[in-house]
Amino acid sequence: MDDRTLEALGLAEAPRDHPLAYPGAWPAASGLLDGDRLLPLDRLTHDDRTPVLSVGSNACPAQLRHKMAEFGITSPVPMVRTRVTGVGVGVSAHVSRMGYVSASPFDAPGAVRELFVIWLDAEQLAVVDASEGVPVPGGNYDRAWLPRAEVRIELETGESLPGAHVYVNRHGVLHDGAGAPREHPGQRALINELLLESARLRELFGGTAEDFCARARADAGLCARGTWLLAKERRVTASGLERFVGARQDGRPGTGASPLPSS
């Protein structure tokens, strides 16, 4: 048996098929996603590719495999485990048509997390951009450049990257009730919390996490109403990363997105 397959490594389930498992299983170490296998990496940086910091299912090999397969892309994707200072993992202020409420980054000076950087070639980047809605006005995310001066992304060698791209939610992130971005606790716990907090959300999506996922996956219009309700109930705040939208890798600032009002 090939012990490098996603199945053998326990990485074969994608959140798009199992929404309550979001963000999906992440690798224990850096690796090269090559079709249905996760192989050892020979290097941690790839100057001919674009580094993208992943805070949700883009760090799940099975989810990435699905995204690439939809467009017939078979080229390998390097996935590098990093130590990141300055970014928190919050809750997107939108309901995904995949049946879950996804993770979104927020500005968290001093916070330290282990996250993956995926290194994408031009075709792969276009696929992931499209999956996040970057090219369309009504999409959920913008892609932003986080410079080293603001966010430190450290490799296992101790080297830090000059920066990396990240997907910033155009809807903002959910807050914790006191105005600060809410940490993503995992899908089942999050949905149960949201349903407990909102009778109107229960009316739309049912009383259990299973109900929520099933109804969201079946009805894109319902997802849009759920997204609207999150804002209507004043659960949304800015991520603090909007200022990096449009920023360039040469260090020149971007115009940024219009910040959302804080609750």
Side-chain angles (χ1 to χ4, degrees), residues 70-158:
E70 285 181 347
F71 290 87
I73 293 177
T74 59
S75 52
V77 179
M79 304 182 68
V80 176
R81 194 174 182 91
T82 64
R83 180 180 173 90
V84 180
T85 304
V87 172
V89 178
V91 180
S92 299
H94 81 281
V95 180
S96 171
R97 289 177 293 176
M98 293 294 175
Y100 46 69
V101 181
S102 59
S104 282
F106 65 86
D107 189 29
V112 180
R113 298 190 69 108
E114 288 193 346
L115 298 170
F116 275 86
V117 168
I118 56 176
W119 294 83
L120 305 176
D121 65 25
E123 282 188 327
Q124 293 165 347
L125 182 63
V127 167
V128 179
D129 274 358
S131 75
E132 305 294 350
V134 172
V136 295
N140 293 314
Y141 293 88
D142 285 309
R143 178 156 51 86
W145 173 254
L146 303 179
R148 179 163 47 196
E150 300 284 344
V151 174
R152 182 175 177 84
I153 303 173
E154 187 176 343
L155 305 175
E156 60 189 49
T157 59

Side-chain angles (χ1 to χ4, degrees), residues 204-226:
L204 290 178
F205 292 98
T208 69
E210 288 79 6
D211 290 339
F212 184 103
C213 294
R215 294 187 187 186
R217 287 169 67 86
D219 190 339
L222 182 63
C223 293
R225 292 197 294 276

Side-chain angles (χ1 to χ4, degrees), residues 25-48:
W26 293 6
S30 300
L32 182 70
L33 179 62
D34 187 2
D36 191 42
R37 305 170 74 214
L38 190 67
L39 306 174
L41 268 179
D42 60 357
R43 55 196 172 101
L44 300 180
T45 59
H46 302 264
D47 293 339
D48 56 339

